[in-house]
Amino acid sequence: SIASLTSQFDATSASLRQTEAANAQLERQLAEAAQSRASGEAQAAQYEAAEAEAQRSVGQLTRRVTEAERRASDADRQLSELATAKARLQAELQEAQGQVGAKDRATEDLQEEVGQLKALIATAE
């Protein structure tokens, strides 16, 4: 009767309020999950951007290292060329010093002969 219907209505109303409260809770959880997902996607985008920047930096450093290695190789080659030229010049210097020494000895020999000739001339006079 009416008391029974009222009781059923009250029970149904309470059940509906519980369902609405549960739905509101689920909607809040869904909103939090969507926000968390958006935050995760934004963070993933930041990581991807950081990784791309790191790769660009690595590329730049690799190019710099390659250029430095090329310059070092060029410097090594130039040092080798300079060492070869130095050795050649030292050999030429030693040869020239030997020639100067020979000329000095020849000059001394000639001066000695000139001295002897002067002595002979002086004696002949």
Side-chain angles (χ1 to χ4, degrees):
S1 52
I2 296 180
S4 174
L5 289 175
T6 303
S7 176
Q8 284 180 345
F9 178 78
D10 288 342
T12 303
S13 292
S15 176
L16 180 60
R17 282 192 296 278
Q18 287 176 348
T19 302
E20 287 174 349
N23 282 343
Q25 177 66 24
L26 288 174
E27 286 177 9
R28 282 192 299 276
Q29 289 175 347
L30 184 60
E32 289 172 3
Q35 183 180 9
S36 178
R37 178 179 176 184
S39 174
E41 289 173 351
Q43 195 172 26
Q46 288 176 343
Y47 288 144
E48 288 173 3
E51 181 181 3
E53 179 61 29
Q55 287 176 347
R56 280 191 294 276
S57 295
V58 166
Q60 289 175 347
L61 289 174
T62 300
R63 285 189 294 280
R64 288 179 184 168
V65 166
T66 301
E67 178 63 18
E69 288 172 343
R70 186 193 60 77
R71 287 182 183 170
S73 176
D74 288 348
D76 286 344
R77 181 185 43 78
Q78 290 174 347
L79 284 173
S80 176
E81 290 172 0
L82 287 173
T84 301
K86 179 182 176 184
R88 182 181 44 80
L89 288 173
Q90 285 177 330
E92 289 176 7
L93 176 62
Q94 287 178 346
E95 182 181 337
Q97 287 172 336
Q99 290 173 356
V100 166
K103 286 180 184 176
D104 287 347
R105 287 188 297 278
T107 301
E108 289 172 3
D109 290 346
L110 285 175
Q111 286 175 347
E112 189 177 315
E113 287 181 28
V114 167
Q116 291 174 355
L117 288 174
K118 285 183 179 178
L120 282 175
I121 292 171
T123 306
E125 290 176 349

